[in-house]
């Protein structure tokens, strides 16, 4: 019976993951000084799904040559079921090879008070680091 419950839980988790991936929306690719950037966004209800989403994207053929993935997320969680009105926000970031990029993305999510979202930016680049990342970051995230 315990094994059956585990199988049902795994199936429920997989179904939820499929629903999350169905909400994935990708922006247009933008070329900036030799680098190509693309933003992606999806609904996120559990922080545990972030790694699974990242793994699913990384193995997708369309993203096989991505040099770096940066992301941030914010998820509102109820502290306790009986205190549904009291919410806390769980946040997280990932920079990939672009130091500080996840923090900048998180700043955008905070500024617009966005919750329940995973926002990712992938970067393709066939040669070394260019000033394009700094230029694009300043343009997109500047205050």
């Amino acid at each position: 019976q315990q094994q059956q419950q585990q199988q049902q839980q795994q199936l429920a988790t997989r179904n939820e993951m499929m629903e999350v991936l169905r909400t994935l929306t990708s922006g247009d690719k933008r070329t900036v000084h030799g680098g190509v950037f693309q933003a992606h966004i999806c609904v996120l209800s559990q922080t545990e799904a972030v790694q699974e989403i990242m793994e699913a994207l990384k193995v997708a053929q369309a993203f096989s040559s991505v040099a770096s993935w940066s992301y941030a997320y914010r998820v509102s969680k109820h502290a306790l079921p009986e205190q549904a009105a009291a919410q806390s926000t769980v946040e997280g970031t990932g920079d990939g090879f672009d130091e500080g990029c996840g923090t900048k993305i998180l700043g955008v999510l905070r500024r617009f008070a966005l919750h329940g979202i995973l926002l990712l930016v992938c970067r393709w680049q066939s040669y070394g680091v260019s000033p394009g990342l700094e230029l694009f970051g300043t343009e997109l995230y500047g205050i």
Side-chain angles (χ1 to χ4, degrees):
Q1 187 173 7
Q2 186 179 10
Q3 186 179 13
Q4 186 179 15
Q5 287 176 342
Q6 287 176 341
Q7 288 175 343
Q8 287 176 345
Q9 186 177 14
Q10 288 174 346
L11 183 60
T13 301
R14 188 172 188 195
N15 288 341
E16 183 174 333
M17 186 65 182
M18 293 304 293
E19 288 299 317
V20 167
L21 288 175
R22 283 189 188 113
T23 69
L24 181 68
T25 303
S26 299
D28 293 333
K29 290 181 180 179
R30 291 187 61 183
T31 302
V32 180
H33 294 287
V36 177
F37 298 85
Q38 185 176 27
H40 313 274
I41 190 166
C42 68
V43 172
L44 185 67
S45 61
Q46 296 180 7
T47 58
E48 297 81 16
V50 173
Q51 289 306 315
E52 292 181 47
I53 293 167
M54 294 301 298
E55 288 173 20
L57 290 172
K58 288 178 182 180
V59 299
Q61 180 65 31
F63 303 115
S64 62
S65 62
V66 168
S68 181
W69 289 92
S70 301
Y71 65 88
Y73 62 85
R74 296 185 80 210
V75 178
S76 295
K77 289 197 170 188
H78 299 292
L80 296 170
E82 59 270 9
Q83 297 175 339
Q87 289 188 347
S88 63
T89 301
V90 179
E91 302 175 329
T93 64
D95 292 332
F97 293 115
D98 301 319
E99 186 176 332
C101 194
T103 304
K104 289 181 179 182
I105 297 169
L106 180 60
V108 172
L109 297 178
R110 286 177 179 163
R111 186 176 323 141
F112 292 100
L114 300 173
H115 297 265
I117 301 180
L118 170 63
L119 179 58
L120 309 106
V121 176
C122 59
R123 175 178 59 84
W124 287 268
Q125 193 151 345
S126 58
Y127 55 95
V129 177
S130 76
L133 180 63
E134 289 78 19
L135 175 66
F136 188 69
T138 302
E139 177 184 320
L140 186 62
Y141 304 115
I143 296 176

